[in-house]
Every structure is written in structure tokens, then in C-alpha cells.
Amino acid sequence: PRWRRRRSRAMSRPCDDARYVDAAIAGIRPPAGKPRTPRASDGRELCKLFMLRDKSCDFPNCQRAHLDVPSRPRCETFEKYGFCDRGDARDCWLRHEPCEAWEMDVCLMVDMEMAARHVERARRILGPRAVVKAGRIKLSRHTDALICIKSDALGAAGAMRALYREEPYGMAKTKRTFVFPREGGWSRTFEGLEWDDEAIRAMDAWLEKCIDACVEESGATREKPVYARVRAAPRWLEGRLHDAMDRIIDARGDTLACKPLGGGITTRDCTHCIDAVNLWDRAYVGVWKTSGIYETMEVTGSAPTQVLPEKDAPQLPPAGEASMDDLAFYFPLKLQDYRVEVKPLCRAYFKLHEALLRGRVPIEGDWNCVDIGAAPGGWTQVLSERLTTGCVWAIDPAEITLNPFPTTMTHLRVLAEDAVETVREGLQSTASGELRLVVCDANMHPEACLRIALDFSTKFSSMKESWLVMSTKNFCKRRENWLKVIDTCIEQCRDAGYDDVFVEHLFSNCSEEKTLFARRKGKD
């Protein structure tokens, strides 16, 4: 039938096809139209009794088709999402055909709500075909997503360093970073590991060989054995690997120089790591040395990688010195701890902090800035930390709760249109005398917010480069209307004389919020 031929063409696409990846992490939607009854190639309906597990059709003159699993139509849900609402391949009536295999260096485990943002950033940083696969851990709206990344030029360690350098906020939001190095480690794929006993036995045999190789490579003994931690997604896969390790250690006894964790040995003390992920009924398992250096000489440098502008922010060890554990295990934890140490006034602090990084706004200590709708003061806090001789005017009738008040801040408890002359007079006493940055995070309709920001910013001219940064929140009834409003705001900024206008969906933004950037080139 026509619908079967159409689905077959869809499956012929390569696994890194952007549409195929984006559909897998999109919202779960039932097939369009009425549910279709599975049919054979001759048009007959399939016999449900024959397809049920551990049952059979006892009707000798059954008019419906009796087809074995390889001859049945493909399961549309499994084909699109990698999961089936009926269960695994043994329980579903239809055929679960794994998609074509793929290679990867890194797999990011992220919140489902941010999956699309991670995919977009990985493509922009590492190349349009860097994301080779993406999917969810279970068939649910509120779950985690797995994003498989491959970089032929950089490898696993180089790809992670590039992501940390260009997108520290996104990497701080990752829940786990799984690594599958192509050189210096071991990796293999297994199909049907969730339900196939033969696949489990094959994994046990392969894992035992890997452990022997790790022992031989590190020169481990019974007194100084190797310790391997297990990280896997979904959770059932982690249980499979723990069970496999227990079976291997119990079978080999004292003859194996590998011991389980415990007795004062924690995950931070492990000598090796076993990473595994499962997508589309295919499990990828990798083993690597935690202290191993996996970066190639082409990307080796001598200076630590600075990912955040603050001097006390965590830094990556120099390329060629950073171990795989530094890249995949410790550094994400350091980024998360640093977000706590900053002690921001409110969560909006991180929104502007990330915006200045993402938009590459070259703010310097002598800039003069205006924060419209500043209360309670999160954005003002970010600006005041960057300024030395410059000044930031926080405009909001409400109270600014910063304590103590920064010396570079002036609070104007008026509306924006009533603050123009006060700001103009204040600029005369500054070193540059020019307004370089206007920011606005007001809770109102994007067009109303932009109208206020443009009315204010266009009253000031600057011979140097100037910026406008504004949140565009969904105060529309439908998401489609909100996206159209954002396009309108972009055109209004261009009409107001801004040269470069773009919109970014920051990791600090919620799902119904984006950040607009507008840059006006300098005249000198």
C-alpha cells in the first residue's frame, strides 16, 4: 500500500539527517488520521491472535494474514522515536527494525526540554553534520535525551574542549557526558541488549576481554587492582553492566586484578570508566582510562582553556595535559559548583551573563549602560560587575534589592520615558560620555518591550559600537504568534538603524522565551 512505501523511503535517509534527528527529539505526537490496521502486501489485515506473544490463531479458515515478524510492516512509533508504547520487540505486533549504525565520539545526556538547543549549538560549533543521532531515554514527554556527536577532526577530547570553550552554559546543563574514544579505548555495539540473552552473553565475553586488556595495559596486580565505574543511560542498561561485572569478578575470583567499588574506593578513585548508551535498541559500550590523555597533537596547546570571563572561574587544563576524566567527569561538576558560588541575586543574573557570552558583546570597564525594568536587579548586578569607570542606570519604579548597592550603579525610580534627561546629564560626567548598551528584561509583550527600549536608545547617539539586548517572552496566545512577533521585532530593530540583529534561545531562557540582540556599528 501507498503508506508503507512512503515510510520505507523515510527509513532510507542517513541517520545523521537533520530532519530525522530533529523529529526524534520533537514532541510526541500520534500518527495523523485514524489508526491504520496493519495489513500484508496483498491488502489483507494481519491476524491479531497470530501476532500476540505466546499465543496462536486456532482458526483453520482464518481470512487474515499470518505473517512472521520479518514480513510485517514496520512499527511507526519505534521508527520515529526508538521506542514502542507496546514494549520491546517481543511484545509489539509490528517489526522493530534498527536504523543504520552510526559512529560517535561523545554522547550528551540532557533534559528533554533543552535537547533542541543542545543539538543546534553542537551543529554550529562542530559542523552541520556533527550530531549523528539523538533520541529520548523513554517514550515520555518529561524525560532525558541522548545526543550523539562525532567530530572527525577533533575526536572525543577535542570535541568536548570545543563545546566547553564555546558553550560553557550548555555543558553545565548536561547531566552526563559519555565518551567513546576511537583511539586508546575499546568500544562495541550490541543489539537487543534489553531482552536478548544471547546479546547479554556476548557483552559479558567482550567486557571480560576489555578488563583483561585494562589489567595488562596498566600492570595491575591483586594488591593494586583496576577499578572501573559504570555510567549508562537508560538506568536498566547500567544495571545490565553492573550485573555483568559482578558475574565476571565472581567467576574469576582472586585471579582477576579487578575489584568492585567499595571499601573506601569511590567513583573518583576509579582507574577506568565504562560508558554505555542505548538508542533504537542498539547499545554502545565503551571503556576508557580515566587518567588517559586522548587529545591529538594537532590541538595540543600550552595554556589552560578559559571558558568564562571571570578570573576565579574554573579553567580546563591545557590541551595535551587534561585527562579524559578532567573533560568528561570533573569539569562539568566544576561549572555547576561555580554557578552556586557566584551567589546571584536571582536567576535572571545567568540570563544576561550567558547573553553577553553568546552574543559576543565586547563590554568593557568604561561602558555606560542602561537597564530598563531592572527590578529586582539581576541584570544590573551582571553589568555592575563588569564596569570600573563606567556607569549603569537601573530604571524601574520598583525596588532594587542589591545589598550593598554597587558604586557603578544609579537607581532611577521612574519610567523609562522620564529617565532620558537624567541619563543624558549623567553621561556628561563619565569618561566616554556615550551610551553603549541598553538591556531590558521586562515582563511584557515583546513589541511593547521593544517599543520602550527603542524609544529610549534612539535618543542617544554614539560614535562607537552600541548594543541592545532584550528578552522576548511569550505573552501571545499561541507559540506561532509569538514567533511571528519576534520576526516583527527583528525588522523594527533594523528599521531603527541597527546593523546586525539576531535572536538566540539561551540555555538560561525558559522554553517560551528567547533573547534578541541588536548591534549598531560605530561611526569612527
Side-chain angles (χ1 to χ4, degrees):
R2 178 188 297 176
W3 68 272
R4 289 187 60 194
R5 292 196 298 270
R6 182 168 61 250
R7 298 299 297 178
S8 297
R9 288 197 298 269
M11 280 297 294
S12 66
R13 293 178 294 177
C15 64
D16 60 349
D17 185 282
R19 295 170 299 172
Y20 199 65
V21 171
D22 296 341
I25 58 176
I28 300 176
R29 294 181 174 87
K34 296 181 180 180
R36 291 185 288 262
T37 303
R39 295 180 181 273
S41 58
D42 58 4
R44 289 186 300 161
E45 294 184 10
L46 299 185
C47 179
K48 296 180 180 180
L49 288 177
F50 183 81
M51 292 188 294
L52 288 176
R53 182 182 175 187
D54 299 330
K55 291 187 179 181
S56 61
C57 178
D58 298 329
F59 296 97
N61 298 322
C62 181
Q63 300 299 315
R64 293 177 173 83
H66 290 187
L67 296 180
D68 294 329
V69 174
S71 302
R72 297 174 192 170
R74 291 172 173 148
C75 175
E76 293 187 22
T77 306
F78 180 82
E79 183 180 343
K80 184 175 182 180
Y81 302 111
F83 290 93
C84 178
D85 48 8
R86 296 188 181 94
D88 56 40
R90 300 170 299 174
D91 298 319
C92 183
W93 297 346
L94 306 179
R95 174 163 49 104
H96 284 196
E97 182 173 328
C99 64
E100 53 187 76
W102 65 92
E103 296 180 355
M104 62 178 165
D105 298 317
V106 179
C107 183
L108 305 180
M109 179 178 170
V110 302
D111 189 89
M112 193 70 220
E113 182 185 342
M114 297 186 178
R117 282 175 260 184
H118 281 279
V119 169
E120 189 273 335
R121 288 297 290 163
R123 287 171 177 162
R124 191 183 301 184
I125 295 170
L126 299 175
R129 301 183 70 86
V131 179
V132 294
K133 200 69 176 175
R136 59 192 74 225
I137 288 181
K138 60 181 179 180
L139 195 63
S140 172
R141 179 181 178 184
H142 303 288
T143 184
D144 295 325
L146 296 174
I147 300 172
C148 306
I149 298 173
K150 184 174 185 291
S151 175
D152 293 326
L154 300 177
M160 282 190 291
R161 183 176 293 275
L163 291 172
Y164 285 129
R165 183 175 56 248
E166 299 295 332
E167 191 47 72
Y169 268 87
M171 295 301 288
K173 292 283 187 179
T174 57
K175 296 185 176 181
R176 275 186 177 180
T177 303
F178 302 100
V179 183
F180 304 89
R182 282 170 275 169
E183 296 181 2
W186 302 268
S187 61
R188 185 177 168 182
T189 62
F190 301 90
E191 293 185 12
L193 202 56
E194 184 177 9
W195 50 272
D196 190 352
D197 293 337
E198 184 177 348
I200 295 175
R201 288 191 293 269
M203 182 190 69
D204 288 359
W206 176 82
L207 199 57
E208 185 173 2
K209 292 180 180 179
C210 289
I211 293 174
D212 289 336
C214 293
V215 170
E216 181 180 357
E217 180 187 51
S218 58
T221 62
R222 286 184 294 176
E223 291 74 20
K224 293 183 178 181
V226 298
Y227 296 93
R229 64 167 173 260
V230 175
R231 308 188 306 166
R235 185 63 59 87
W236 64 262
L237 182 56
E238 189 169 329
R240 291 279 193 279
L241 290 168
H242 278 298
D243 293 341
M245 291 291 295
D246 292 341
R247 287 191 294 267
I248 295 170
I249 293 175
D250 292 343
R252 299 280 293 273
D254 294 336
T255 62
L256 183 66
C258 177
K259 301 297 180 184
L261 303 185
I265 303 298
T266 67
T267 56
R268 293 176 180 264
D269 303 318
C270 291
T271 60
H272 292 78
C273 182
I274 303 174
D275 279 350
V277 296
N278 187 84
L279 284 173
W280 271 268
D281 210 15
R282 179 180 280 112
Y284 282 74
V285 186
V287 182
W288 46 272
K289 190 176 180 180
T290 56
S291 60
I293 307 297
Y294 289 86
E295 288 179 283
T296 59
M297 294 302 296
E298 286 77 13
V299 297
T300 300
S302 59
T305 301
Q306 183 82 27
V307 300
L308 294 173
E310 287 75 17
K311 294 181 179 180
D312 58 342
Q315 296 181 346
L316 268 176
E321 299 179 15
S323 67
M324 188 63 81
D325 234 19
D326 291 330
L327 295 167
F329 188 73
Y330 288 114
F331 198 69
L333 300 178
K334 292 180 180 179
L335 288 177
Q336 294 168 9
D337 292 341
Y338 181 72
R339 287 171 57 91
V340 178
E341 296 171 0
V342 170
K343 296 181 179 180
L345 178 65
C346 58
R347 289 182 298 173
Y349 173 96
F350 296 111
K351 195 190 309 180
L352 183 59
H353 191 281
E354 181 183 357
L356 297 178
L357 284 175
R358 176 79 67 87
R360 302 185 184 276
V361 180
I363 184 171
E364 298 178 0
D366 62 345
W367 276 35
N368 297 313
C369 312
V370 166
D371 184 4
I372 300 175
W379 283 30
T380 302
Q381 181 182 7
V382 176
L383 297 175
S384 60
E385 291 175 352
R386 303 290 183 92
L387 302 181
T388 54
T389 59
C391 183
V392 52
W393 285 271
I395 303 174
D396 200 310
E399 182 180 1
I400 301 295
T401 56
L402 285 173
N403 187 18
F405 266 32
T407 57
T408 56
M409 187 200 82
T410 301
H411 183 201
L412 303 179
R413 304 191 71 162
V414 295
L415 298 178
E417 55 267 26
D418 299 326
V420 174
E421 292 304 322
T422 304
V423 173
R424 195 185 304 277
E425 294 174 1
L427 286 173
Q428 297 176 0
S429 61
T430 62
S432 63
E434 295 182 337
L435 183 62
R436 303 290 299 278
L437 175 63
V438 175
V439 300
C440 183
D441 190 34
N443 288 317
M444 60 177 62
H445 193 281
E447 287 186 306
C449 188
L450 182 64
R451 183 169 57 253
I452 295 173
L454 288 180
D455 286 347
F456 189 94
S457 62
T458 52
K459 289 181 172 62
F460 297 87
S461 60
S462 174
M463 297 297 293
K464 299 180 180 179
E465 175 184 359
S466 60
W467 285 78
L468 168 65
V469 179
M470 187 192 79
S471 296
T472 59
K473 304 175 182 180
N474 188 0
F475 280 83
C476 306
K477 292 184 178 180
R478 301 182 63 182
R479 182 179 178 84
E480 294 80 3
N481 296 338
W482 172 55
L483 296 177
K484 292 179 181 178
V485 167
I486 293 178
D487 292 336
T488 302
C489 291
I490 292 175
E491 294 300 324
Q492 291 177 357
C493 287
R494 289 171 178 159
D495 294 340
Y498 285 95
D499 302 290
D500 301 324
V501 186
F502 55 96
V503 174
E504 297 282 352
H505 198 176
L506 306 178
F507 288 96
S508 301
N509 289 137
C510 67
S511 59
E512 299 297 315
E513 177 187 30
K514 294 186 179 183
T515 302
L516 182 144
F517 299 82
R519 170 179 170 268
R520 183 184 287 118
K521 297 179 181 179
K523 299 178 182 179
D524 53 357

